Amino acid sequence: MNAWIGTLIALCALAVSAVTAYVQHRARKREKLAAEVTAYFHRTSEFAKIKLPDGTIRQAGYHLVVWNHGPASAEQVDLEVKDVRGGAVELADSPQDEFPLLRLDKGARYPVPWIPVADAHRGARRFTVHVRWQDGNGTQERILPMRRGQTNV
């Protein structure tokens, strides 16, 4: 009887080890296929002079940077900026057809000059950025609360 119990325990331990190995293998595979897309405000040391499509020259003190810091490429990267009330924030140097980006490779950064079109958004500090992308694991989404402010203290 003790031999049967010992065999049963050994078989259960083998099954648990096999399941654990499979789960770890799947987790490593998912990590290798994942893109980690985020966004942040980058304060420029001097105002960047931006020539808008209509020929107007504007100055940007910040850039909204989209960054893929994951191990895989991100595709169809879409960016949407909203104010605190949920209204869309239109950026002057970001035409309607700029997003989605077809591809954002590992480590790539994509800066967008922070020049809101609406006067109400120019002095505002808080925004929400919605970032969507596709990677080897499917469609991903991240909602980022953002606050514009001094970053080089």
Side-chain angles (χ1 to χ4, degrees), residues 2-90:
N2 285 340
W4 285 101
I5 292 174
T7 304
L8 183 61
I9 290 172
L11 288 173
C12 288
L14 179 64
V16 168
S17 295
V19 168
T20 302
Y22 175 75
V23 168
Q24 287 180 343
H25 170 73
R26 291 287 299 156
R28 280 193 302 270
K29 189 173 181 180
R30 285 187 58 83
E31 286 175 7
K32 288 180 183 178
L33 297 174
E36 289 292 325
V37 180
T38 192
Y40 62 92
F41 280 119
H42 171 72
R43 181 170 169 75
T44 58
S45 57
E46 294 183 21
F47 283 101
K49 291 184 177 162
I50 308 297
K51 185 175 184 179
L52 300 178
D54 66 1
T56 308
I57 303 281
R58 295 274 306 273
Q59 293 183 340
Y62 289 88
H63 283 80
L64 179 62
V65 181
V66 182
W67 177 32
N68 178 10
H69 61 95
S73 294
E75 297 178 357
Q76 297 299 316
V77 180
D78 199 13
L79 178 77
E80 185 179 4
V81 182
K82 298 190 177 218
D83 61 19
V84 292
R85 293 186 286 296
V89 177
E90 184 182 349

Side-chain angles (χ1 to χ4, degrees), residues 116-148:
V117 172
D119 289 334
H121 296 136
R122 288 196 188 136
R125 290 192 171 272
R126 292 180 31 218
F127 302 91
T128 303
V129 174
H130 296 251
V131 184
R132 287 177 214 83
W133 70 94
Q134 293 178 359
D135 60 17
N137 295 319
T139 301
Q140 310 296 326
E141 180 177 5
R142 182 170 282 163
I143 299 173
L144 303 162
M146 307 283 285
R147 184 178 187 280
R148 190 175 54 85

